[in-house]
Amino acid sequence: MSIASSGARPSGELPVSVVVPCFQARGTLRRALNSVLAQTMPPHEVIAVDDASPDDTWEELQRIQGEVGADRLKLLRHGGNLGPSAARNAGWEAATGKYVAFLDADDSWHPRKLEIQVLYMDRNPGVAGSGHRHVIAEEGTRGLHVEDSPPAVQLEFRGLLWRHGFITSAAMI
């Protein structure tokens, strides 16, 4: 599914705000945002934060927003480059969903990522955050099948400080 053909928002959206920090991401934005819009269950909102990109990332974000609508893609822009953590924090502050999921502008998601992760977090209300494995796949491949996923394991706070085993684009809080 491409951004241009994604159409109206289906009912049954998930209570997730997706935050996408962007810096010089013009070439990868569509793939990343297509992977969000192609989710089996759509998120409540997608918030893209341009971190003062010197290329035409902002213009590309505006084009994409024009195609999908401001109700599906909210845009924020920093006046100066503050780094990815500041862009994520700005998106998090603007988020209105029960959960916040992070997607870097050069990554993409499996079509069931949000559905599976929200189901897990809803079934485990004591869990403050979750993450999952990732695969580096070539363009056009689907990567790891969901059925191949290992069972959930609990990570202790102390262990998260040193090594957590998942990338930012796998995290949901």
Side-chain angles (χ1 to χ4, degrees):
M1 171 183 292
S2 70
I3 288 175
S5 66
S6 58
R9 175 184 294 179
S11 61
E13 69 183 21
L14 295 170
V16 178
S17 297
V18 177
V19 174
V20 185
C22 307
F23 182 74
Q24 294 184 340
R26 182 194 163 284
T28 57
L29 275 172
R30 284 190 181 267
R31 185 189 74 225
L33 293 173
N34 274 336
S35 78
V36 176
L37 297 173
Q39 291 294 299
T40 54
M41 296 182 72
H44 167 66
E45 63 188 351
V46 181
I47 303 166
V49 183
D50 179 34
D51 194 28
S53 296
D55 64 359
D56 62 346
T57 293
W58 179 248
E59 291 76 13
E60 181 69 5
L61 282 169
Q62 291 176 310
R63 277 190 290 276
I64 294 169
Q65 185 187 52
E67 294 168 16
V68 302
D71 61 323
R72 295 189 77 194
L73 177 61
K74 298 172 181 164
L75 303 181
L76 302 175
R77 187 178 196 191
H78 285 160
N81 182 256
L82 303 173
S85 59
R88 287 185 194 102
N89 287 340
W92 184 354
E93 289 174 17
T96 61
K98 176 180 177 183
Y99 302 115
V100 177
F102 299 99
L103 174 63
D104 288 342
D106 61 348
D107 289 340
S108 60
W109 284 340
H110 184 281
R112 292 187 60 211
K113 180 258 196 314
L114 293 179
E115 173 191 351
I116 292 167
Q117 208 162 5
V118 167
L119 180 63
Y120 175 80
M121 295 202 44
D122 280 350
R123 288 183 177 169
N124 297 279
V127 172
S130 64
H132 52 79
R133 292 175 145 182
H134 71 281
V135 199
I136 298 174
E138 292 196 27
E139 188 71 32
T141 63
R142 289 186 50 119
L144 185 71
H145 293 281
V146 176
E147 296 79 22
D148 296 337
S149 298
V153 295
Q154 182 173 341
L155 301 173
E156 299 298 325
F157 178 74
R158 192 172 189 80
L160 287 172
L161 294 174
W162 300 108
R163 179 177 292 154
H164 48 68
F166 53 88
I167 62 172
T168 304
S169 290
M172 181 182 291
I173 52 175

